[in-house]
Amino acid sequence: MDDHRFINILLVDDHEMVREGLVVFLSTQADFKIVGQASSGYAALEIIEVTLPDVILMDLVMPGIDGVETTLKIKAAYPQIEIIALTSFIDDEKVVSAIKAGVSGYVMKDVNPLILAEAIRSAARGEIYLDPAAARFLARKMRPEFLGNGEEKSYIKTLTNRELEVLKYVARGLSNQEISETLSISIKTVKVHFGKILQKLNLENRVQAVLFALSQELISLDEINI
């Protein structure tokens, strides 16, 4: 298999045992390549230019700069790199902060390894993975932070029917390509619609769009393709 067909992965966790456990499993996946390990946010920032990963598995709780701040710094410099947050607690405030920082998803540290592998592949495709239990928590937690003052419904009314369709498909986990094929429109048009959705709803990324759709009951958790 040529290098360009690998998903290059960087592991960032201050516990060596966690990193080594991830290496053991991820190395069994033919399409994965571990390009580096870092025991802190500082170390990750130092090696990222050399490793240039496609996907980073980021521990949220680390000494020095935590996973949230590290994510902010990486996304500012390398917006194309997808980051999956690793967490041990569903209701950790750092999870909310990580979503705002731009992670493309998050997994619990006790996740089934095969689900973790699919989460990584989803991130590499520009899609998201949301742990179901944590998604429920975040949808409730972040609802007042999206728009505030009970204005959600009036903001939704600003969406056109096509924009509402696109939002629902995004929230269900479809890629831009899949939405394009489903609605018989170009990928460029999908991107334009989604950009307008983010602007109108005061959201920043696909993960927030999913949580917004859940919080407004535009879709149910069972409809999310995870």
Side-chain angles (χ1 to χ4, degrees), residues 162-170 179 183 190 193 197:
R162 179 47 59 91
E163 288 167 354
L164 192 57
E165 280 185 303
V166 170
L167 173 59
K168 290 179 179 179
Y169 282 127
V170 167
I179 297 172
L183 297 179
V190 173
H193 283 315
I197 290 166

Side-chain angles (χ1 to χ4, degrees), residues 152-164:
E152 294 93 338
K153 297 298 183 183
S154 63
Y155 276 78
I156 289 174
K157 290 178 181 178
T158 67
L159 300 181
T160 65
N161 289 336
R162 179 47 59 91
E163 288 167 354
L164 192 57

Side-chain angles (χ1 to χ4, degrees), residues 62-81:
M62 297 183 291
I65 60 172
D66 64 15
V68 174
E69 186 175 352
T70 305
T71 295
L72 282 169
K73 292 180 180 295
I74 291 174
K75 294 300 285 186
Y78 305 93
Q80 78 279 9
I81 294 177

Side-chain angles (χ1 to χ4, degrees), residues 167-210:
L167 173 59
K168 290 179 179 179
Y169 282 127
V170 167
R172 288 172 182 152
L174 273 68
S175 66
N176 287 341
Q177 178 66 46
E178 291 170 326
I179 297 172
S180 168
E181 294 171 356
T182 300
L183 297 179
S184 299
I185 58 178
S186 69
I187 293 178
K188 181 179 179 180
T189 300
V190 173
K191 292 179 179 179
V192 169
H193 283 315
F194 188 59
K196 290 180 178 178
I197 290 166
L198 294 181
Q199 182 179 23
K200 289 180 178 181
L201 299 181
N202 195 29
L203 305 177
E204 297 180 7
N205 52 52
R206 293 178 82 90
V207 178
Q208 285 194 6
V210 173

Side-chain angles (χ1 to χ4, degrees), residues 5-218:
R5 296 182 61 189
F6 285 112
I7 297 174
N8 294 322
I9 303 168
L10 174 64
L11 307 176
V12 184
D13 195 296
D14 61 325
H15 292 96
E16 183 176 2
M17 186 176 296
V18 172
R19 298 198 311 274
E20 291 306 316
L22 288 170
V23 169
V24 169
F25 168 69
L26 296 177
S27 296
T28 68
Q29 304 299 297
D31 54 337
F32 290 173
K33 182 178 181 180
I34 309 299
V35 295
Q37 298 183 45
S39 60
S40 68
Y42 290 119
L45 294 171
E46 288 178 358
I47 68 173
I48 195 168
E49 186 174 354
V50 176
T51 57
L52 289 177
D54 301 305
V55 178
I56 298 175
L57 295 184
M58 179 75 69
D59 185 16
L60 293 185
V61 182
M62 297 183 291
I65 60 172
D66 64 15
V68 174
E69 186 175 352
T70 305
T71 295
L72 282 169
K73 292 180 180 295
I74 291 174
K75 294 300 285 186
Y78 305 93
Q80 78 279 9
I81 294 177
E82 303 293 348
I83 300 175
I84 297 176
L86 293 174
T87 180
S88 299
F89 307 100
I90 291 176
D91 59 351
D92 192 330
E93 285 297 326
K94 287 186 182 297
V95 176
V96 176
S97 299
I99 295 298
K100 294 180 177 179
V103 300
S104 31
Y106 53 87
V107 297
M108 306 302 290
K109 285 193 173 182
D110 61 355
V111 69
N112 181 298
L114 294 177
I115 293 178
L116 174 60
E118 286 309 306
I120 292 170
R121 294 185 181 104
S122 292
R125 293 192 297 266
E127 301 168 12
I128 65 172
Y129 174 83
L130 299 176
D131 176 88
R136 291 188 185 94
F137 164 77
L138 285 166
R140 294 193 303 270
K141 180 72 175 178
M142 296 187 73
R143 176 172 180 167
E145 297 185 29
F146 286 133
L147 302 168
N149 302 320
E151 296 176 348
E152 294 93 338
K153 297 298 183 183
S154 63
Y155 276 78
I156 289 174
K157 290 178 181 178
T158 67
L159 300 181
T160 65
N161 289 336
R162 179 47 59 91
E163 288 167 354
L164 192 57
E165 280 185 303
V166 170
L167 173 59
K168 290 179 179 179
Y169 282 127
V170 167
R172 288 172 182 152
L174 273 68
S175 66
N176 287 341
Q177 178 66 46
E178 291 170 326
I179 297 172
S180 168
E181 294 171 356
T182 300
L183 297 179
S184 299
I185 58 178
S186 69
I187 293 178
K188 181 179 179 180
T189 300
V190 173
K191 292 179 179 179
V192 169
H193 283 315
F194 188 59
K196 290 180 178 178
I197 290 166
L198 294 181
Q199 182 179 23
K200 289 180 178 181
L201 299 181
N202 195 29
L203 305 177
E204 297 180 7
N205 52 52
R206 293 178 82 90
V207 178
Q208 285 194 6
V210 173
L211 295 174
F212 180 89
L214 282 170
S215 73
Q216 301 307 303
E217 300 180 345
L218 297 177

